[in-house]
Amino acid sequence: MSLKSRDLIGIKELEPGDIELVLDTAAGFKDILGRDIKKVPALRGRTVVNLFYEPSTRTRTSFELAAKRLSTDVINFSVSTSSVVKGETLRDTAMNIQALGADFIIVRHSCAGTAHFLAKNLNASVINAGDGTNEHPTQALLDLFTIKEAKGDIRGLNVAIVGDILHSRVAKSNIYALKKLGADVRLIGPPTLIPAYMKELGVGLYTDMNEGLKDVDIIMTLRIQMERQGKGFFPSTDEYFRNWGLTLERISRAKKDVIVLHPGPMNRGVEISSDVADGKMSVIIEQVTNGLAVRMAVLYLLSGVKA
Amino acid sequence: MKLLIKNGHVIDPSQGIDETADILIEDGKIKEVLRRKEPAGGMKENESGIKTQERGVINAAGLIVMPGLVDMHVHLREPGFEYKETIKTGTGAAIRGGITSVCCMPNTDPVNDNSSITQFILKKAAMEGSCNIYPVGCITKGQKGRELAEMTMMYEAGCVAFSDDGRPVADSLMMRRALEYSRVFDAPIISHCEDLMLAARGVMNEGLLSALLGLKGIPAQAEEIMVARDIALAELTGGRLHLAHVSTKGSVELIRAAKKRGVAAVSAETCPHYFSITEEAVRGYNTNAKVNPPLRGRADVEAIKKGLADGTIDVIVTDHAPHHMDEKVREFDLAPPGISGLETSVGLSMKLVDEGVLTLKQLVGKMALNPAGIVGIRKGSMKPGYDADICIIDPEREYRVDAAGFSSKGRNTPFDKWDLKGMPVITICKGVVNELS
């Protein structure tokens, strides 16, 4: 089994069957991660390069560990965007890395379309680890895996995504993925961060938390990027928490067995209260473990196409 | 030196000519257009009985003969950005596109905000330019929008219009003063309409597609707010306002209403990319479709065509904005906006004639006569005594756009490999008959 494409650029480009294949494959890898010996020789001899133009700890580490669990050789290549502006072009950097014999290039970049650009220019498999405000496909896949584990099926679930939708690649990838697998999606947040045209994606738009959270099965709350504050999207983090912070009181509008996801890192007291983050409905820590399994599945499935 | 262009379909809106005729050129000037006694007559001898077998005859049967086109919005990039384009290559590209006069925008390095730079451009143009060049000077010093540039001195040095193109004059008071002051020398103020704060460093049209691509959007209102403001200021001041690269339905409606009221001297231009393609061209992060203002939606394209048809939009320009390949082969956010347009303008604009949006005569008006009138140059017409600037088009000639073969250094076009019909085959300018292939 393998994915149709050589690259994972975004959820937009995937068929529902592709998404299900990743989720099923990830379940197998999750079993392996529960064993004493967590490493399999599946991709021995392959080389994975983490090309990160934005600071990242968890995603990079997750990819690195996933690649190592599959017995690949991993190289981390971190570049600060500022030094690149002065010097080598993205294409040149990537061509150089490819020339070292990389089979996979995992790229994170602040510009939308970067993964697409590299996939067009390189022979190596390109995996998008987040491109600007476009997509973060492996995050959506791990979120769906987590939801599926908890709920069994995704079809028909009511999912609320709360927060800065406008700037969130996590939200975008999740909207596409959830819609493809038949969930109902609603977006909740300040109107400055949820453009009206998002409605055309077939999602509900809410400003009011209590209204938006009514009867939902799943709540995904997004990180409020502190650098947005003072840019006029909302007046203060205090007011944000007052209007859109996820609290136990607000969660009571949702279904009894609601689960809460967060892509991390969390701002406690801004988008989520600690009693929710640490509560029994939270699957936030489970998401991290699942991320490993999902990324192993993605690497494994993409390697099949190249063979 | 005599030259006779025979049997062509001559179109010259300035003289109301739209018929088969001959054109006699003597010493680089139009001597006369020799009209038939009976309009559109077959192979009848023309009125003056010129012998057509003598040397210096162009047989233009089946071809359209029109005044050399006037493109009042071109970036020649010289001085300062010679790696993108030079006066030599840019004017060469113009000739290929049937264009015999270009107005070059001042956002060079240094910017054309004083008469020395204007003189440099004109000197270089005289030495290396294959078509006529009319510089556009800056409205404000350094295009910074704070103080007026020395517009009268630039006007006297040869500037025909003023613009901070590439940037808006953000300060309304500064724009008011520019429009007021421009009455001293009767040249238009060309406004690049963009509310920079509202555009908020967007890189494409705002809407569902920008959300899908994760690219920052620019709402149509970023243009329309400034169009409305500038019309209001033109009314206030009596200055002559020309609106550059109109791209949205809302702008067309604002200009139409202003013209209907008749209270302001307002003219407007658009570019082939705004009536030929939509924002869909950006899909796949196509940096060659990144342009400012951005490509818009289907409804905007239709509105632009309607605005051209009913006279709301007076002029078709290219906004020729050549860039080096290295600048375009990169992250979409970081690629500079602009389309190399001189060599596709005629083919794309001829589609408007095919679609019945414009008559050929109207098209020649928008690509030659009207822009010449707006910037006040003695071009865009084949009246006796005018320079023999002539564009001959084969309306049936089908060809495939080949950006790699452009005369321009800028190969940044979203129209590469497009099949077009209607090609300039001969451009006559500065006494040179350029046969194009």
Side-chain angles (χ1 to χ4, degrees), chain B residues 39 53 79 103 178 180 182 216 239-240 252 311 322 325 329 364 371 406 429:
Chain B
Q53 56 270 47
C103 299
E180 277 172 338
S182 72
K216 218 161 174 341
R240 208 135 61 73
V252 174
M325 191 190 77
V329 182
V364 175
F406 275 2
C429 186

Side-chain angles (χ1 to χ4, degrees), chain A residues 12 90-91 109-114 116-117 120-121 131 133-134 172 176 195 197-198 200-201, chain B residues 206-217 284-286 326 328-334:
Chain A
K12 272 197 295 285
L90 170 66
R91 186 166 169 270
H109 198 286
S110 58
C111 293
T114 304
H116 181 278
F117 175 85
K120 212 168 58 182
N121 284 285
D131 62 328
T133 58
N134 181 36
K172 304 258 179 66
Y176 307 141
Y197 47 76
M198 295 294 284
E200 295 171 52
L201 292 172
Chain B
E206 179 175 320
L208 182 63
L209 186 61
S210 66
L212 283 173
L213 294 173
L215 293 172
K216 218 161 174 341
Y285 302 94
N286 179 7
D326 291 345
K328 284 287 197 179
V329 182
R330 64 176 313 175
E331 300 91 322
F332 192 91
D333 282 342
L334 305 179

